[in-house]
Amino acid sequence: MTMSVDGFVADREGRVGEVMRWYMASGDTELQTGGDDPMTLRMSEASAKHFRELTADLGAVLTGRRTFDTAGGWGGNHAWGPAFVLTHQVPAGWPRPHSSVSFVTDGLASAVRQAKAAAAGKSVGVHGADTIQQLLNAGLLDELALDVAAVILGAGVRLFDNLTGAPAEWGTPTVVAGVGVTHLRYGVRSRGEREAV
């Protein structure tokens, strides 16, 4: 998940261009995303190595409706495998034939079960601030990979709003310095693990 230094994943209008700029213009290393709506990413070698390592083990994606809408449904097939969209209502025109996008209307636990089953032993990536918040609150997130973009937005969609388990303590991060971004990976400890330490 990419966020600004001051903790926003999107601006007031829900746009992500400022925080995502490092994907497109932080270096000369090109990466192709794949999927039905492929993009060419251009980032520093350090960021590209981090990105490859992070995405190589992904077998499915769990995401929220706002992210699905912002991404235009990824053209029907997400680059990282089947996508499970947590939503209250299936959008008009979906599901589509030959699409790997599914809509889960019966709650977070069901979405997690479906995504894990589809990932077949690989990791499940997560998109969206609200979805990440729900997973953190439910104790269902094992790792948090944050890309902190070197930009301050001042307002917008915050990644860490609405958390019920704060204060929270995570493991020591791995840190990769990119160009215009710092990549952090934290192991997320459950409340019981924190109390036992």
Side-chain angles (χ1 to χ4, degrees), residues 2 4 20 30 32 45 49 57 60 67 70 76 107 152 158 162 165 178 190 193-194:
T2 299
S4 64
M20 302 292 279
E30 286 191 3
Q32 302 295 321
E45 182 54 42
K49 182 175 186 270
D57 187 47
T67 302
T70 300
I152 293 178
R158 254 191 213 287
N162 308 310
S190 70
E193 289 174 316
R194 287 195 305 270

Side-chain angles (χ1 to χ4, degrees), residues 173-195:
T174 59
V175 181
V176 175
V179 174
V181 64
T182 302
H183 308 285
L184 305 169
R185 287 177 81 170
Y186 291 93
V188 177
R189 298 179 186 169
S190 70
R191 286 187 191 126
E193 289 174 316
R194 287 195 305 270
E195 290 166 4

Side-chain angles (χ1 to χ4, degrees), residues 129-138 141 144 158-168 170 191:
D130 186 60
T131 304
I132 289 171
Q133 291 163 21
Q134 289 182 57
L135 290 166
L136 283 169
N137 288 337
L141 201 63
L144 192 58
R158 254 191 213 287
L159 180 57
F160 296 120
D161 274 349
N162 308 310
L163 296 181
T164 60
W170 296 337
R191 286 187 191 126

